[in-house]
Every structure is written in structure tokens, then in C-alpha cells.
């Protein structure tokens, strides 16, 4: 069947993801290949001290994104979408959207970016004996309670952005387990919210005598592959303002961007993981069992099927590299060289391979902003060296590539001490653009083979489209990791680079000096 005929027959699957700066739609065929795409740019806004998007931003953005997809389909295939095999919605995890019994939003959407819940996060972490970060939905709810906010007594339902969009388009108050794990801790054995922690939370707020309990206002948890409802008549009109899309299309459980990233990199299986390295960097490792100890540096979430995942998230990664390459670009332009920016990045990344494995003693701190793993609320980008260190271009560039991963490694070393085993990691993001270089350094930092696949660039919108297709195309009892390996990634094994022992030793030496020099970074923050 041609792509045109497939779309006309309603056999394509659609994924839409709300990212922090872009809403993206990806249409895929029955073999999971991308047929068309659309997008809409948007930005959060600071409103009375709260980072938010308005509901008008959400629906106007969704409709424009879908219209952009329709335009791409029309230009490529001269056909209009009237039906689909399945749809899936995903979005940035965490945050806080609270509604009353009439379905009205009680306070503006509080996104994951807000750091206004420190007291609540600390108290919940202590009460649950489980790390509860500030950005989690339950932290936002509990902080609102601690603040005595008037709206709390009227809550009938609260959810994430993906859960909200799904609810309005299907009428179902549900959430995929991966996204739910960023609202409230999950018991991976039960595949649902942790019952003991639910009870603990109930006791924490018992004296408030609200007309609700926590179990009643959380969305129902679903696993990947389960049916999460269908597009209603109202939902079809909300999504497609042209009125051509039919109701009744099956919709998969809404997921968070972490889960769709795992799907897009084939890293949902136990003892696998993925590293996303761009402006920020995070690593996710699927565990054989939950961690025994509580670590505030490690977030515990789940895969889209509920397996426990340890996540190390760092705010800073490539921004300092970009700044330094910008200086080299300015220098070359001054001398009339007209070097392409992409070529400049490539050449400088390859030059880093010539550097000493320990960077010749050079150290840099890429902290444009604070880092939770190393307990910094602010940052100051620094480059530090002793007079007798090996200061040359190769070591200079290698230092900045190491620095981009240094805080991540400190967090991952905590997992190593917990005897967490990782067989393979998949890398994606701008850090890996120059072939082989970022992979080699990441492999050295983690002492684990790193693979990069072409589909990593497709992103979360493609990942949620694959989850939608999985719901409809899986065989009976076919596990998600089996489906991905055999049917989605069978012909895309990626390029794997194993760690080099010399580089591993060199990175370890670098980290020792890096951690010893954190006092320099702290002094810079205090005095600059």
C-alpha cells in the first residue's frame, strides 16, 4: 500500500508532544516510518512569579501544530486525514494543573520549571523515605496546602499537561505510568501509585479536612499498550478545526517526555538506558529493582510499562561549549576566514580527540545555572588551570567536553555504588552530532558502551506515535521491549562505541580534580 493510500485508509498513527519550546506532530506508517510532521513554536511565560502556559497557548498551539501536519500531508501526498489507526499525546512531565468539579482550572498551570516547592519536597522526601523533587506534581500540591492556598479545598482532579490534553480530547482522566511516576511515586510491582505513600500523604493532610482524598483526585494509571479511550466528537473538533477528522479513533495512554525518549531510543528494557545531551543533560537507567537507599541526586521514575528508572538530571551541558566555539567563530570572522559554524564545531570536537586523557590538568565548570547534584543554586562558568598544566587547543576542547558530562558522572557514580548494572546506553542530542567524539567521551565517563541511532533525532513525538501504534499492532502478550527490538528497531542497531580503558582512567582523574575544585566555583558565586 502506498503512503497516500495508507493515510486515506486511516491506517497511519499520530503522535503529538508538547515540548518546552515546540509542539511537534509526527505521522507514522505501519512500519513506524515517519510519513509527515508538523510543529508549532511556543514559549512559557513568567506570570506573577510562576512559569506557565495559558490554556489558550495549549489549544491554539495544538491546533496550529495539527494544521501544520495537515499541510505537510497535503503537499506530500495530496490527501486529507479523516481517520487514524491510533493517536497518542505526550508532554513535559511534572507540573501542576488542578481543576474543580466543573472542570475549570483553579490556578494557572505551574510547569516543571518552577522552583517554588522546596519546603514541600523536603518534607515529602522525609515522610516517604523516597526522593520527591520540587518539580513533581505532588510537591506542587503539598506546597499549595502548606501555603494555605484557597483553591485547594475545591480540587476535584489534578494532572499533568499530557493528562489534561488527553482528558479534554477523550473524556478519560488517565495517565501513562511513566508520566504518573512524575506526579506521585509508583510501586512498580503493583503498577500503580505506592499505596503506603498514599496513606502517608493522607495522614499528613488529615487535619485540613478537605472534601477529597489523594486517591480520588489523581488520574488513573495505565500501562503502555492499554486502551486509554477514544477521540470524542468534541475532541475531534478541538484537535482539527477544519472539521475533517472523525471521532472514535483509539488513543493510547498519555505519556511524559522521559518515557517517549526511552521509546525513541529503544531503551525501555532492564539494564539499558539513554542519555540526552544538549543544553541540559540527563541519563535514565532501567533498574532490575528499586534502589535500596534514598538519594536526593537521583529521581526515581518508570518506563511506560512501569519498570523502575533511575534518572540523573543536570541543568548544564553544552552551553559553555557553544559559548567558546562562538569566540573561535568571532576570531575567524575577524580574520576574514568565513568558516561555517558546523565545520568549526566538527573540527574542534575532532581536535579534542588529540588531547591527553586527563585533559592535561585543565578544569572547566560549565555552570550557567545551578546544579542540584553538586548543591549549587547558582552558577558561574569558569576555566581553571595551573601555570604548568598542558595548555593547548586539544586539551582545552577536551576539557570542555569532559566538563559537559562531569556533573552527570558524579550522579551516575552514585548508581555504581548501589551496584546498578548497565549493559548498554543510547545517546541522543547535540553533544553526539560530531560522529564518534561525544560517544567516546560518554563511554569513558560511564564505562559503558554507548550507541547512537538515527531515530534518536525523531524525538518524543515519534516515540508517542510508536506507543500509539504498539497499542493497536502488538500481538497478544507482546512486551514493549520485544516489540521495539523486533518490529521498530530491527534494521536500526545504531553505531556502538565501547569505552577505552585509557580514557576511562583519564576521566576518573579529571573528576577527582573537578570535585576538589568545586570550592573555586563556590567562591566565584560568592564573590562575582
Amino acid at each position: 500500500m502506498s503512503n497516500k493510500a495508507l493515510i486515506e485508509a486511516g491506517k497511519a498513527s499520530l503522535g503529538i508532544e508538547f515540548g518546552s519550546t515546540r509542539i511537534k506532530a509526527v505521522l507514522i506508517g505501519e512500519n513506524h516510518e515517519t510519513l509527515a510532521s508538523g510543529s508549532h513554536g511556543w514559549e512559557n511565560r513568567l506570570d506573577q512569579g510562576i512559569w506557565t502556559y495559558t490554556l489558550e497557548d495549549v489549544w491554539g498551539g495544538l491546533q496550529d501544530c495539527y494544521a501544520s501536519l495537515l499541510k505537510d500531508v497535503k503537499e506530500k501526498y495530496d490527501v486529507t486525514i479523516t481517520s487514524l489507526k491510533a493517536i497518542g499525546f505526550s508532554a513535559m512531565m511534572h507540573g501542576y494543573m488542578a481543576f474543580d468539579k466543573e472542570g475549570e482550572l483553579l490556578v494557572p498551570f505551574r510547569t516543571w520549571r518552577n522552583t517554588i516547592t522546596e519546603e514541600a519536597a523536603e518534607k515529602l522526601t522525609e515522610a516517604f523515605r523516597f526522593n520527591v523533587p520540587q518539580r513533581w506534581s505532588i510537591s506542587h500540591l503539598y506546597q499549595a496546602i502548606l501555603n494555605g492556598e484557597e483553591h485547594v479545598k475545591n480540587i476535584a482532579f489534578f494532572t499533568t499537561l499530557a493528562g489534561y490534553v488527553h482528558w479534554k480530547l477523550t473524556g478519560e482522566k488517565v495517565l501513562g505510568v511513566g508520566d504518573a511516576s512524575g506526579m506521585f511515586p509508583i510501586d512498580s510491582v503493583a503498577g500503580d501509585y505506592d499505596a503506603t505513600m498514599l496513606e502517608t500523604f493522607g495522614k499528613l493532610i488529615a487535619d485540613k479536612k478537605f472534601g477529597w482524598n489523594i486517591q480520588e483526585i489523581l488520574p488513573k494509571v495505565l500501562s503502555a499498550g492499554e486502551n486509554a479511550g477514544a477521540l470524542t466528537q468534541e475532541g475531534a473538533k478541538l484537535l482539527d478545526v477544519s472539521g475533517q477528522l472523525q471521532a472514535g479513533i483509539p488513543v493510547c495512554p498519555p505519556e511524559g517526555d522521559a518515557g517517549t525518549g526511552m521509546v525513541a531510543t529503544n531503551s525501555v528494557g532492564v539494564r539499558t538506558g539513554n542519555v540526552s545531551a544538549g543544553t541540559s543533560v540527563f541519563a535514565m537507567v532501567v533498574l532490575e529493582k528499586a534502589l535500596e537507599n534514598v538519594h536526593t541526586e537521583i529521581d526515581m521514575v518508570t518506563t511506560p510499562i512501569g519498570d523502575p528508572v533511575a534518572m540523573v538530571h543536570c541543568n548544564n551541558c553544552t552551553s559553555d561549549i557553544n559559548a567558546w566555539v562562538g569566540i573561535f567563530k568571532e576570531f575567524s570572522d575577524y580574520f576574514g576566514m568565513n568558516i561555517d559554524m558546523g565545520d568549526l564545531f566538527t573540527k574542534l570536537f575532532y581536535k579534542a580527540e588529540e588531547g591527553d586523557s586527563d585533559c592535561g590538568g585543565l578544569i572547566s565548570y560549565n555552570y550557567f545555572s545551578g546544579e542540584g547534584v553538586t548543591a549549587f543554586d547558582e552558577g558561574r562558568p569558569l576555566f581553571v588551570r595551573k601555570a604548568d598544566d598542558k595548555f593547548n587547543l586539544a586539551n582545552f576542547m577536551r576539557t570542555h567536553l569532559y566538563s559537559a558530562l562531569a556533573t552527570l558522572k558524579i550522579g551516575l557514580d552514585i548508581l555504581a555504588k548501589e551496584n546498578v548494572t548497565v549493559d548498554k546506553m543510547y545517546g541522543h542530542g547535540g553533544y553526539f552530532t560530531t560522529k564518534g567524539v561525544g560517544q567516546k567521551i560518554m563511554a569513558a565517563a560511564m564505562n559503558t558502551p554507548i550507541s547512537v541511532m538515527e531515530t534518536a533525532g525523531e524525538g518524543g513525538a515519534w516515540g508517542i506515535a510508536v506507543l500509539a501504534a504498539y497499542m493497536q499492532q502488538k500481538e497478544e502478550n507482546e512486551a514493549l521491549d520485544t516489540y521495539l527490538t523486533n518490529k521498530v528497531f530491527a534494521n536500526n542497531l545504531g553505531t556502538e562505541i565501547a569505552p577505552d580503558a585509557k580514557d576511562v582512567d583519564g576521566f576518573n582523574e579529571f573528576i577527582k580534580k573537578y570535585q576538589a575544585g568545586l570550592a573555586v566555583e563556590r567562591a566565584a558565586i560568592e564573590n562575582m
Side-chain angles (χ1 to χ4, degrees):
M1 184 180 290
S2 69
N3 289 339
K4 178 178 180 177
L6 183 117
I7 295 169
E8 285 182 314
K11 293 186 176 182
S13 296
L14 174 64
I16 298 178
E17 181 159 281
F18 292 75
S20 58
T21 59
R22 184 174 64 152
I23 305 171
K24 184 177 180 181
V26 171
L27 189 72
I28 65 171
E30 293 181 304
N31 294 320
H32 313 97
E33 74 282 14
T34 298
L35 303 178
S37 63
S39 66
H40 169 84
W42 71 338
E43 289 286 348
N44 55 185
R45 63 191 72 188
L46 191 61
D47 184 5
Q48 297 183 10
I50 302 293
W51 287 106
T52 187
Y53 301 88
T54 67
L55 297 188
E56 291 75 17
D57 293 335
V58 173
W59 296 112
L62 177 63
Q63 290 161 359
D64 186 61
C65 176
Y66 185 76
S68 173
L69 172 75
L70 291 181
K71 182 180 179 182
D72 193 38
V73 169
K74 186 70 174 176
E75 290 175 352
K76 287 180 176 176
Y77 310 109
D78 193 27
V79 66
T80 297
I81 298 173
T82 58
S83 188
L84 295 158
K85 177 176 284 188
I87 306 177
F89 299 95
S90 62
M92 302 165 281
M93 289 177 67
H94 318 298
Y96 181 70
M97 300 189 80
F99 303 87
D100 63 18
K101 60 184 179 181
E102 279 79 38
E104 296 297 318
L105 187 67
L106 290 166
V107 291
F109 171 30
R110 298 171 182 177
T111 77
W112 64 272
R113 190 178 179 184
N114 290 287
T115 54
I116 55 175
T117 63
E118 183 176 5
E119 181 186 6
E122 288 180 356
K123 288 184 175 180
L124 290 174
T125 296
E126 181 179 0
F128 291 171
R129 297 180 183 176
F130 181 98
N131 183 37
V132 180
Q134 285 201 52
R135 61 185 180 276
W136 281 30
S137 305
I138 193 63
S139 294
H140 282 278
L141 173 61
Y142 191 42
Q143 191 65 55
I145 293 171
L146 293 175
N147 292 346
E149 295 187 38
E150 184 68 19
H151 80 273
V152 175
K153 68 178 187 299
N154 298 318
I155 296 175
F157 176 56
F158 83 120
T159 188
T160 64
L161 177 55
Y164 165 67
V165 171
H166 182 96
W167 168 40
K168 289 299 182 182
L169 295 181
T170 67
E172 300 291 336
K173 295 178 178 178
V174 301
L175 206 57
V177 63
D179 204 8
S181 71
M183 286 195 75
F184 194 95
I186 293 289
D187 176 351
S188 289
V189 176
D192 206 344
Y193 302 114
D194 188 286
T196 301
M197 296 183 199
L198 288 172
E199 183 180 350
T200 299
F201 187 80
K203 291 176 180 176
L204 284 175
I205 65 169
D207 63 317
K208 305 297 182 183
K209 294 183 169 52
F210 296 124
W212 51 262
N213 64 53
I214 187 63
Q215 292 94 327
E216 294 172 344
I217 66 172
L218 280 163
K220 180 182 178 182
V221 177
L222 296 177
S223 181
E226 294 189 77
N227 190 292
L231 194 67
T232 63
Q233 292 282 358
E234 297 78 9
K237 293 174 183 176
L238 260 179
L239 178 58
D240 181 12
V241 294
S242 73
Q244 297 174 94
L245 189 64
Q246 300 171 5
I249 299 167
V251 186
C252 73
E255 261 302 343
D257 51 358
T260 57
M262 288 185 240
V263 171
T265 52
N266 192 23
S267 51
V268 302
V270 171
R271 293 170 62 146
T272 65
N274 75 92
V275 180
S276 175
T279 304
S280 62
V281 60
F282 64 83
M284 308 186 71
V285 178
V286 185
L287 307 177
E288 296 173 274
K289 60 179 182 178
L291 296 178
E292 294 181 4
N293 300 304
V294 177
H295 301 281
T296 56
E297 304 91 342
I298 309 293
D299 292 0
M300 290 300 302
V301 291
T302 78
T303 68
I305 58 171
D307 287 330
V309 174
M311 179 167 68
V312 180
H313 182 275
C314 305
N315 295 329
N316 302 281
C317 185
T318 59
S319 294
D320 204 29
I321 296 172
N322 296 342
W324 281 108
V325 174
I327 289 292
F328 287 117
K329 173 63 172 168
E330 188 177 341
F331 172 84
S332 65
D333 287 348
Y334 186 70
F335 278 87
M337 299 178 191
N338 296 318
I339 302 174
D340 177 76
M341 197 68 169
D343 290 341
L344 192 57
F345 268 101
T346 300
K347 289 282 189 183
L348 289 171
F349 268 55
Y350 281 134
K351 187 66 178 178
E353 291 190 301
E354 300 174 16
D356 296 310
S357 62
D358 67 349
C359 302
L362 311 182
I363 299 288
S364 73
Y365 296 94
N366 66 336
Y367 290 5
F368 272 59
S369 61
E371 282 293 1
V373 172
T374 47
F376 284 90
D377 294 327
E378 299 178 56
R380 302 289 186 273
L382 288 178
F383 176 73
V384 185
R385 67 187 178 99
K386 300 193 302 294
D388 58 349
D389 287 334
K390 297 178 182 178
F391 184 45
N392 55 46
L393 181 60
N395 280 338
F396 180 82
M397 286 308 303
R398 194 177 186 94
T399 297
H400 288 292
L401 291 177
Y402 275 27
S403 175
L405 305 181
T407 309
L408 180 73
K409 178 173 173 55
I410 292 169
L412 290 171
D413 283 348
I414 295 170
L415 294 182
K417 291 175 183 176
E418 286 268 4
N419 299 314
V420 170
T421 302
V422 186
D423 293 333
K424 180 177 285 190
M425 292 289 290
Y426 296 89
H428 54 112
Y431 186 85
F432 300 102
T433 301
T434 301
K435 188 174 182 179
V437 181
Q439 268 180 278
K440 289 178 183 176
I441 293 175
M442 185 69 77
M446 294 193 64
N447 197 17
T448 300
I450 303 292
S451 294
V452 172
M453 296 182 295
E454 292 178 11
T455 48
E458 298 283 5
W462 182 76
I464 190 65
V466 169
L467 285 174
Y470 169 68
M471 178 183 69
Q472 294 297 87
Q473 296 179 188
K474 71 181 189 304
E475 297 175 18
E476 188 175 357
N477 299 321
E478 185 175 20
L480 177 61
D481 59 339
T482 302
Y483 180 89
L484 292 176
T485 299
N486 295 341
K487 297 180 178 176
V488 180
F489 295 97
N491 298 316
N492 182 16
L493 300 177
T495 303
E496 180 181 281
I497 292 180
D500 178 274
K502 184 179 178 181
D503 288 341
V504 172
D505 291 341
F507 208 117
N508 287 335
E509 283 300 312
F510 174 86
I511 281 293
K512 288 178 185 177
K513 294 176 182 176
Y514 183 94
Q515 289 182 286
L518 284 170
V520 181
E521 172 71 15
R522 202 167 298 282
I525 293 168
E526 292 170 356
N527 294 283
M528 291 177 64

